[in-house]
């Protein structure tokens, strides 16, 4: 099943015939909101708003582990995460879309970034954190719709909630070689890999962050929201196209076998309280 995690401005899916809502009780607490199970034509989908139904959660307040756990427990095996991002490259303009293939974790505050620990040890490869098949599907759909999309992008994740300084912006685009900056895809992308879920971000470019000399181009909430409406509409159209055409079976994808050589704790030594989690992640 496909899961969609809605970012800023996307709190529901147009045209989704709702079947039921699921408020999942997870070992990590409550998810951002009940997951909405619905049908779009012949395709079944699960939707979860990352920031809550009314955007009440800051990036560091999102319970990322609970969100991914809940979606996995409900049968989700592929996730498209929608996010607002700031551009660190002149050629990636506001209003366009990006599909990251790499992530830089520049989150320095406390966020729970793994399902493992406390007697269950694993080291999952994140060399290629984005699902290549899902990224190709998104890119092809955007190209068919003649939407401006940039693939192969490096996403730098920062704490927020404040917008960055010019020095930080130049550091991310220079020393860190990031193409865009955002606040929410870490640890989401890495938790999805630990849960053996195919994951891909569709980023909506809202601004040029603040690295340009012209102060009028610097990111502000007012500018972001003003530019965002039209782009969100096109993102919804892109999702509608994908849901209408469907997705191929990704069970053979390497994402779905990420734990094969990653777990060091012998199965018989897994603590009793961790066995249900271990079984869910391996499913």
């Amino acid at each position: 099943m496909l899961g969609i995690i809605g970012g800023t401005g996307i709190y529901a899916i147009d045209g989704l015939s709702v079947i039921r809502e699921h408020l999942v009780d997870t070992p990590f607490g409550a998810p951002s909101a009940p997951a909405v199970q619905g049908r779009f034509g012949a395709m079944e989908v699960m939707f979860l708003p990352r920031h809550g139904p009314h955007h009440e959660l800051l990036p560091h307040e999102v319970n990322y582990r609970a969100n991914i756990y809940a979606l996995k427990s409900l049968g989700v095996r592929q996730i498209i995460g929608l996010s607002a991002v700031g551009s660190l490259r002149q050629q990636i303009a506001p209003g366009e879309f990006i599909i990251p293939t790499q992530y830089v974790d520049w989150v320095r505050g406390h966020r729970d970034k793994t399902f493992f620990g406390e007697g269950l040890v694993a080291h999952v490869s994140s060399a290629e954190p984005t699902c290549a098949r899902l990224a190709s599907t998104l890119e092809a759909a955007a190209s068919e719709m003649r939407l401006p999309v940039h693939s192969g992008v490096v996403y730098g994740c920062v704490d927020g909630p404040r917008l960055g300084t010019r020095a930080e912006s130049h550091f991310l685009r220079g020393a860190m070689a990031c193409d865009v900056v955002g606040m929410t895809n870490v640890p989401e992308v890495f938790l999805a890999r630990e849960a053996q879920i195919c994951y891909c971000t569709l980023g909506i470019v809202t601004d040029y962050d603040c690295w340009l000399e012209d102060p009028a181009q610097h990111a502000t909430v007012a500018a972001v929201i003003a530019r965002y409406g039209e782009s969100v509409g096109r993102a919804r159209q892109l999702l509608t196209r994908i849901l209408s055409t469907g997705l191929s079976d990704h069970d053979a994808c390497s994402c779905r076998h990420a734990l094969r050589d990653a777990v060091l704790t012998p199965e018989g030594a897994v603590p009793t309280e961790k066995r249900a989690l271990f079984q869910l992640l391996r499913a």
Side-chain angles (χ1 to χ4, degrees), residues 135-147 238 241-242 245:
S136 295
T137 299
L138 273 173
E139 184 178 6
S143 297
E144 289 169 5
M145 295 176 65
R146 297 186 179 180
L147 295 177
L238 179 56
R241 186 180 187 93
I242 290 171
T245 57

Side-chain angles (χ1 to χ4, degrees), residues 20-24 31 33-37 46-49 70-71 74:
R20 62 174 294 192
E21 292 188 353
H22 302 264
L23 184 54
V24 180
V36 177
Q37 179 183 358
M46 201 73 66
F47 176 78
L48 182 67
L71 291 174
L74 293 169

Side-chain angles (χ1 to χ4, degrees), residues 91-215:
Q91 66 271 25
I92 303 176
E96 298 181 342
F97 297 93
I98 59 98
I99 300 173
T101 53
Q102 289 292 325
Y103 297 83
V104 172
D105 179 359
W106 197 240
V107 174
R108 290 158 293 162
H110 177 72
R111 293 187 191 182
D112 293 311
K113 297 181 178 181
T114 181
F115 288 115
F116 295 103
E118 299 177 334
L120 178 57
V121 176
H123 301 281
V124 175
S125 173
S126 59
E128 302 294 339
T130 294
C131 177
R133 295 188 186 191
L134 203 50
S136 295
T137 299
L138 273 173
E139 184 178 6
S143 297
E144 289 169 5
M145 295 176 65
R146 297 186 179 180
L147 295 177
V149 61
H150 302 267
S151 59
V153 166
V154 179
Y155 178 116
C157 193
V158 298
D159 292 88
R162 66 172 176 84
L163 303 177
T165 68
R166 289 193 69 212
E168 290 168 334
S169 192
H170 280 292
F171 176 72
L172 286 168
R173 70 188 299 268
M176 305 292 277
C178 296
D179 300 306
V180 299
V181 58
M183 302 178 186
T184 58
N185 280 191
V186 173
E188 190 173 272
V189 58
F190 302 123
L191 291 168
R193 179 55 54 89
E194 288 187 350
Q196 302 193 120
I197 296 174
C198 296
Y199 179 96
C200 186
T201 294
L202 177 65
I204 303 169
V205 181
T206 60
D207 55 78
Y208 277 117
D209 201 45
C210 61
W211 59 273
L212 289 171
E213 294 292 336
D214 182 4

Side-chain angles (χ1 to χ4, degrees), residues 1-61:
M1 185 191 304
L2 174 66
I4 296 173
I5 298 178
T8 300
I10 302 177
Y11 311 111
I13 299 178
D14 296 337
L16 187 69
S17 177
V18 176
I19 298 173
R20 62 174 294 192
E21 292 188 353
H22 302 264
L23 184 54
V24 180
D25 182 22
T26 87
F28 311 104
S32 297
V36 177
Q37 179 183 358
R39 191 172 294 279
F40 196 99
M43 189 170 184
E44 196 166 303
V45 64
M46 201 73 66
F47 176 78
L48 182 67
R50 182 186 290 117
H51 296 281
H54 307 292
H55 205 124
E56 58 268 39
L57 298 172
L58 287 167
H60 69 278
E61 295 177 321

Side-chain angles (χ1 to χ4, degrees), residues 80-94:
I80 296 174
L82 295 118
S83 297
V85 299
S87 172
L88 300 172
R89 305 294 172 197
Q90 188 80 54
Q91 66 271 25
I92 303 176

Side-chain angles (χ1 to χ4, degrees), residues 227-270:
R227 292 169 175 164
Y228 203 47
E230 183 179 346
S231 298
V232 167
R234 289 186 291 174
R236 291 179 187 275
Q237 292 171 8
L238 179 56
L239 279 179
T240 297
R241 186 180 187 93
I242 290 171
L243 293 173
S244 299
T245 57
L247 290 171
S248 60
D249 183 1
H250 283 205
D251 278 347
C253 182
S254 61
C255 303
R256 299 284 297 117
H257 308 283
L259 297 182
R260 179 174 290 165
D261 300 312
V263 180
L264 298 183
T265 306
E267 187 167 357
V270 175

